[in-house]
Amino acid sequence: MKVLLTGGGTAGHINPALAVAGHLKEKEPDVEILYVGNRGGMEERLVGRAGYKMALITISGFQRKLTPKNIVRNIQTVGRVFTATAEAKRIIRDFAPDVCVGTGGYVSGPVVREAAKLGVPCVIHESNAYPGVTTKMLAKSVKTVMLAVPDAKRYFDASVNCVVTGNPVRGEVLAAEREASRKALGLDERPLVLSFGGSLGASALNRAAAYMLAQSARGKAFQHIHGYGAHDQRFLSEVRELGLHVEENPQIRLLEYIDNMPQCLSAADLVIGRAGAMTLTEIEAKAKASILIPSPNVAENHQFHNAMALVRRGAAEIIEEKNLTGEALWKKVETILSDPDRLRSLGENAGKMEVADASERIYRELKKAAGGGKA
């Protein structure tokens, strides 16, 4: 079987595609996979590192805020739509796939659209609770729209074939065990709070976390691992200004980047973070209680919708960034950790949302679609 994969822009679009590719290789070692990505995009690095064959096109998105600079960018984007379409068509004809799988982002638009025009069976995967523009645009051109959460179905026309598959989870996340992880991290019996704002950090979350960590240091009742991100070097001086001296508080670890996330997540009792689709999928997979702080700086405010999918099911607490203060975060942390029943309930309800066989569900849909022929 020959499979064309496309998706890019953010890890939330790329990681599901790579998880699909990995599962495909397990099921069918002889499968041929070609990944189409955007030149200069994050996928160029991640897909290359994963070892898959790759083809590149050049595409960009439209800027909604009409400044002089953005008007120029939008004119460039119009031109790129035509060149990307031609590039995609050539790649598809040369590879002649049995099925095309899109996981979102600007790059998947011209690729899936042209594949469908050429008669290639297509499926797309939406990892968020609120579908992206590209997904909604392509929905009627594909055989199946695979959804991470059922909440997303309401945003599609009744004629669209929607199937809930869940988001595929990295194998290393599933394999990590709580007690082994806590031992490896040198933790004691006190609750562990894991907090992070993503690989680049999140300044608003860091400001609130600095206050939380300083308050926690006074009573030393909890352990903390906080990832502050590469773009917030001022964070360390801010925690010192608040009276927190890490050398006197070994129960608090401040890291620029958490490179052992599967281990830390497995060891945690409470998770504080953004509401990206893959973060929430991993929280569900490990049945963790969480306080979610959705980023307001994302398309269609989709992180808020992602978070609310858990909140409505009693699987998480939420603080919107407009209401985020150090005091509010610390109060919520103390409230949850002082109530074992609440802590357990949040985690159990998150675990109920996990789709444990997501990769296999996606594989079945892909195989079903591939039965229709190729270009």
Side-chain angles (χ1 to χ4, degrees):
M1 183 167 67
K2 300 176 76 172
V3 180
L4 190 72
L5 283 171
T6 182
T10 68
H13 295 311
I14 302 162
N15 286 337
L18 291 177
V20 168
H23 192 70
L24 271 168
K25 280 290 187 182
E26 288 179 15
K27 299 290 287 191
E28 301 185 24
D30 295 331
V31 67
E32 289 186 55
I33 295 173
L34 176 64
Y35 196 113
V36 182
N38 194 11
R39 282 186 187 86
M42 186 187 296
E43 60 270 27
E44 192 170 356
R45 175 172 52 86
L46 295 180
V47 177
R49 193 167 66 193
Y52 294 106
K53 185 179 176 184
M54 195 171 191
L56 299 170
I57 65 175
T58 301
I59 188 69
S60 54
F62 287 98
Q63 305 297 316
R64 298 181 185 185
K65 189 175 181 181
L66 296 181
T67 64
K69 185 180 289 187
N70 284 347
I71 289 172
V72 172
R73 288 176 177 171
N74 286 343
I75 293 170
Q76 291 175 331
T77 294
V78 171
R80 285 171 181 162
V81 168
F82 291 102
T83 57
T85 296
E87 289 176 317
K89 185 179 292 185
R90 176 184 53 78
I91 291 166
I92 295 161
R93 287 194 183 280
D94 289 347
F95 185 60
D98 295 293
V99 65
C100 175
V101 185
T103 56
Y106 302 129
V107 68
S108 63
V111 177
V112 175
R113 186 172 58 248
E114 288 308 302
K117 286 181 180 179
L118 290 169
V120 178
C122 299
V123 297
I124 52 179
H125 179 269
E126 177 53 62
S127 60
N128 293 298
Y130 187 90
V133 172
T134 302
T135 301
K136 288 187 283 190
M137 178 184 70
L138 296 170
K140 292 186 178 181
S141 303
V142 302
K143 287 185 173 291
T144 305
V145 177
M146 301 178 290
L147 306 177
V149 291
D151 303 53
K153 189 172 183 178
R154 74 182 78 168
Y155 300 106
F156 293 98
D157 187 270
S159 63
V160 174
N161 180 34
C162 293
V163 176
V164 177
T165 61
N167 276 328
V169 180
R170 295 179 292 167
E172 55 266 39
V173 172
L174 297 174
E177 297 180 352
R178 174 181 166 82
E179 293 310 318
S181 295
R182 290 180 73 91
K183 184 176 180 180
L185 290 168
L187 300 170
D188 56 37
E189 71 283 354
R190 288 175 291 180
L192 171 65
V193 180
L194 172 65
S195 51
F196 54 92
S199 59
L200 299 180
S203 58
L205 193 154
N206 279 343
R207 301 291 82 74
Y211 180 90
M212 170 190 72
L213 294 166
Q215 293 298 310
S216 183
R218 296 177 180 178
K220 297 180 173 26
F222 311 131
Q223 300 171 100
H224 294 265
I225 295 175
H226 178 72
Y228 57 88
H231 284 185
D232 198 357
Q233 295 300 320
R234 179 160 161 65
F235 174 78
L236 295 178
S237 60
E238 287 181 346
V239 294
R240 283 194 296 272
E241 289 166 9
L242 288 167
L244 168 59
H245 301 285
V246 178
E247 62 275 12
E248 299 170 6
N249 290 276
Q251 81 282 6
I252 296 176
R253 306 176 198 186
L254 307 180
L255 306 172
E256 181 176 301
Y257 180 73
I258 300 174
D259 57 11
N260 57 340
M261 184 60 81
Q263 190 177 58
C264 293
L265 182 62
S266 179
D269 295 281
L270 178 63
V271 179
I272 301 169
R274 293 303 202 184
M278 300 315 294
T279 294
L280 301 192
T281 298
E282 293 179 358
I283 285 173
E284 292 163 9
K286 305 307 289 185
K288 296 298 178 181
S290 61
I291 300 171
L292 303 176
I293 304 163
S295 171
N297 306 310
V298 293
E300 288 93 28
N301 199 23
H302 69 254
Q303 285 202 9
F304 174 78
H305 296 277
N306 288 350
M308 289 306 298
L310 276 76
V311 172
R312 281 193 292 268
R313 293 168 174 82
E317 298 259 356
I318 186 173
I319 304 176
E320 291 189 66
E321 190 166 300
K322 63 185 179 183
N323 301 321
L324 179 63
T325 64
E327 292 86 347
L329 180 60
W330 175 234
K331 181 180 179 180
K332 199 171 279 287
V333 168
E334 280 195 302
T335 300
I336 293 173
L337 291 180
S338 64
D339 185 347
D341 290 337
R342 179 61 176 158
L343 182 68
R344 183 173 56 254
S345 174
L346 287 169
E348 287 177 353
N349 289 336
K352 291 174 184 176
M353 293 182 67
E354 180 199 11
V355 181
D357 61 342
S359 292
E360 183 62 24
R361 291 190 188 193
I362 292 170
Y363 174 71
R364 287 200 300 266
E365 294 302 322
L366 189 154
K367 289 291 287 185
K368 193 185 302 182
K374 64 180 180 179

